[in-house]
Amino acid sequence: MSNKFEINGNLYEYQDIEIFEKTICEIRTRFQSLFGEEVLDRLPLYVDNSTKGGGYTPITDVVLHQHITIKLCIGDFSDVEEITYQFAHEMCHFTYRCLLGINKKNADIYEESICSAMALCFLNGNCRNFSSWCKHVRTRKYEGYRKGYDIAFECNFDTHKLRDKILMELDRYQKIAF
């Protein structure tokens, strides 16, 4: 495990933390397989959870211009589907920062759509309630989240196809920006 990755140690006093930790680590490992360990180790990552009074969650924040904190909003650490949905979405934002740099602009509608799609791709084949999660995304109020369903559908809910779409778009973006 990388020394650039940590789960808040204060969470280890909570029930079912081992399920939470296992799910977080499995998702991170899948992202490493998709994008490469060298990409995801570009920035330190700290994972936390807050359910009450912790501000807007789930969220991916830059801290001290040096590292990223992902703060989730998981009420039940045994709820693997909820953990997967939230963390895969936020890990996608983290991956964008690793690819574009810590000071990239905040997520726009397109990036939110991609991250929403990634969450569905991670749930596909790994959850009993996949159709409910698809409905959840399709009925979100914010357009950026809602469009994630269409993108995931276009990619056949395949993480590799979505990764290729992300890298192709970033390649095009970097050619325009520089």
Side-chain angles (χ1 to χ4, degrees), residues 1-7 21 25 28-29 32 37:
M1 185 118 359
S2 169
N3 63 356
K4 292 186 172 195
F5 170 67
E6 181 180 353
I7 296 173
E21 178 184 45
C25 290
R28 184 172 178 272
T29 298
Q32 287 174 317
E37 224 174 296

Side-chain angles (χ1 to χ4, degrees), residues 12-68:
Y12 287 87
E13 65 187 58
Y14 293 101
Q15 183 175 346
D16 297 319
I17 183 61
E18 63 282 345
I19 297 169
F20 178 85
E21 178 184 45
K22 180 178 185 271
T23 305
I24 295 296
C25 290
E26 286 174 354
I27 292 166
R28 184 172 178 272
T29 298
R30 284 184 65 193
F31 267 90
Q32 287 174 317
S33 294
L34 281 170
F35 291 95
E37 224 174 296
E38 68 284 351
V39 170
L40 292 180
D41 276 349
R42 289 178 183 168
L43 297 171
L45 174 62
Y46 182 76
V47 178
D48 199 1
N49 189 64
S50 178
T51 56
K52 295 179 185 158
Y56 183 82
T57 54
I59 193 165
T60 301
D61 276 329
V62 176
V63 179
L64 300 173
H65 304 285
Q66 296 175 7
H67 75 272
I68 306 295

Side-chain angles (χ1 to χ4, degrees), residues 59-98:
I59 193 165
T60 301
D61 276 329
V62 176
V63 179
L64 300 173
H65 304 285
Q66 296 175 7
H67 75 272
I68 306 295
T69 294
I70 292 177
K71 190 182 338 177
L72 303 176
C73 185
I74 306 298
D76 176 0
F77 281 0
S78 69
D79 190 344
V80 173
E81 291 181 15
E82 183 69 34
I83 297 165
T84 300
Y85 177 76
Q86 287 187 27
F87 191 62
H89 180 108
E90 299 305 324
M91 269 300 288
C92 193
H93 286 302
F94 173 75
T95 302
Y96 266 89
R97 292 225 182 255
C98 288

